């Protein structure tokens, strides 16, 4: 199933082949609820082994148009993890200090250490997306930055960081519906930004920029996953499956103790050691 939502360097197809309304053949949330809860338990167990072993870091990177659900999917899928080993990072407009450094600096410094899981709500990809759409950089500079991104991601994976890149795919009609919800619901109005409406005029330009980024940065060690996100319950299910599948390939296990446990148990039993 997951291969249907995976883009690698060899895959030249664009977003048009992915249906934002796709639900993987499932009819409703009830169809996947038991499996979802089972996967949540498996993910928590893998996180425990990851934290104990300190062999890898895990970076889950989310990109998507406004209203695609980046905040929501982090909350729904990853909020049950042990907070001692998980954090979420959100990237907005660069601060003056961040702008004074190279474009990868602000994200590189919060890449997860070994044993930890980090979710990025947006990322360094914004520096080849919004900057390109609004003419802040030209195509030549965008190509140079994407080359740096490929090298950066290779550096991360070579140093034990499992990189999971996910694009949340919605339709423009769905986005408009979500904007209307925000405007009419006092509990969601705080999420509204006037730029959400103005940026809709650049929808096709953003799609072109994303597809070019996919072509240049989807590699075997860091593929892109395209997740249909109009149906939130399927979005959450598929994201959880993608993360779980990737982490299972790490073959995580608890580290071997560097003590003679049998000897210690015998000493406790004989009274040589106090309990």
């Amino acid at each position: 199933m997951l291969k249907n939502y995976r883009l690698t360097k060899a895959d030249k197809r664009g977003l048009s082949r992915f249906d934002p309304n796709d639900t993987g053949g499932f009819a409703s949330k009830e169809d996947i609820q038991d499996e979802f809860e089972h996967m949540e338990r498996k993910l928590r167990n893998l996180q425990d082994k990851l934290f104990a072993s300190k062999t890898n870091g895990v970076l889950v990177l989310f990109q998507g148009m406004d209203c695609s659900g980046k905040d929501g999917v982090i909350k729904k899928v990853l909020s049950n993890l042990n907070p001692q080993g998980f954090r979420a990072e959100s990237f907005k407009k660069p601060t003056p200090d961040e702008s004074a450094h190279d474009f990868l600096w602000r994200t590189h410094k919060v890449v997860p250490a070994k044993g930890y899981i980090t979710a990025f709500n947006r990322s360094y990809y914004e520096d080849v997306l919004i900057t390109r759409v609004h003419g802040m950089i030209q195509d030549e500079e965008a190509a140079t930055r994407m080359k740096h991104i490929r090298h950066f991601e290779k550096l991360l994976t070579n140093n034990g960081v499992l990189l999971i890149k996910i694009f949340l795919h919605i339709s423009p009609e769905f986005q408009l519906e979500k904007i209307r919800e925000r405007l009419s619901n006092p509990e969601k109005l705080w999420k509204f930004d006037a730029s959400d409406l103005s940026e809709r005029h650049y929808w096709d330009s953003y799609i072109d920029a994303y597809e070019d980024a996919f072509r240049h940065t989807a590699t075997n060690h860091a593929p892109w996953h395209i997740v249909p996100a109009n149906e939130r319950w399927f979005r959450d299910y598929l994201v959880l499956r993608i993360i779980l599948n990737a982490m299972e390939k790490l073959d995580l296990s608890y580290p071997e103790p560097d003590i003679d446990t049998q000897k210690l148990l015998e000493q406790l039993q004989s009274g040589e050691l106090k309990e």
Side-chain angles (χ1 to χ4, degrees), residues 191-204:
K191 291 185 177 183
F192 177 75
D193 189 307
S195 67
D196 294 345
L197 285 173
S198 61
E199 289 297 292
R200 282 178 54 81
H201 297 298
Y202 301 96
W203 184 278
D204 291 341

Side-chain angles (χ1 to χ4, degrees), residues 46-248:
L46 285 173
Q47 185 203 14
D48 195 49
K49 292 178 179 178
L50 179 80
F51 191 80
S53 65
K54 299 291 191 296
T55 55
N56 298 88
V58 177
L59 174 56
V60 188
L61 183 156
F62 291 101
Q63 288 287 157
M65 305 289 268
D66 292 331
C67 302
S68 60
K70 297 177 288 295
D71 285 321
V73 77
I74 292 171
K75 180 179 179 180
K76 294 284 188 179
V77 175
L78 300 172
S79 62
N80 285 326
L81 292 176
N82 186 337
Q84 291 185 90
F86 170 73
R87 74 172 185 271
E89 298 285 349
S90 181
F91 299 96
K92 304 296 185 182
K93 182 179 178 180
T95 66
D97 186 39
E98 290 169 343
S99 295
H101 291 80
D102 66 88
F103 78 99
L104 290 168
W105 178 77
R106 66 173 179 159
T107 47
H108 194 179
K109 65 181 181 177
V110 289
V111 165
K114 291 180 179 179
Y116 293 83
I117 300 173
T118 298
F120 277 6
N121 180 340
R122 301 187 187 274
S123 67
Y124 43 86
Y125 278 97
E126 293 300 304
D127 291 283
V128 293
L129 294 167
I130 188 170
T131 54
R132 197 174 186 187
V133 169
H134 289 283
M136 290 178 270
I137 62 171
Q138 301 305 309
D139 291 347
E140 184 179 355
E141 174 62 20
T144 299
R145 289 187 179 191
M146 286 187 283
K147 180 179 70 174
H148 289 318
I149 287 173
R150 289 197 304 273
H151 292 163
F152 175 60
E153 292 180 344
K154 186 64 174 176
L155 170 69
L156 295 184
T157 56
N158 283 350
N159 283 275
V161 177
L162 172 63
L163 179 57
I164 306 170
K165 300 189 296 189
I166 295 173
F167 176 75
L168 301 177
H169 188 29
I170 59 171
S171 65
E173 296 81 11
F174 179 84
Q175 185 195 58
L176 183 58
E177 176 187 332
K178 287 299 175 183
I179 290 175
R180 285 172 174 157
E181 282 184 18
R182 290 178 180 181
L183 287 170
S184 60
N185 186 341
E187 294 182 359
K188 295 185 177 181
L189 185 57
W190 65 272
K191 291 185 177 183
F192 177 75
D193 189 307
S195 67
D196 294 345
L197 285 173
S198 61
E199 289 297 292
R200 282 178 54 81
H201 297 298
Y202 301 96
W203 184 278
D204 291 341
S205 297
Y206 273 108
I207 294 299
D208 289 344
Y210 265 114
E211 290 185 330
D212 198 38
F214 297 153
R215 283 190 292 269
H216 283 85
T217 65
T219 60
N220 290 331
H221 58 271
W224 275 99
H225 300 86
I226 311 300
V227 172
N230 278 9
E231 293 291 345
R232 298 311 208 194
W233 59 269
F234 182 68
R235 173 204 68 185
D236 299 341
Y237 168 81
L238 186 55
V239 166
L240 181 54
R241 278 197 64 170
I242 290 168
I243 296 172
L244 186 62
N245 180 70
M247 288 188 64
E248 285 177 331

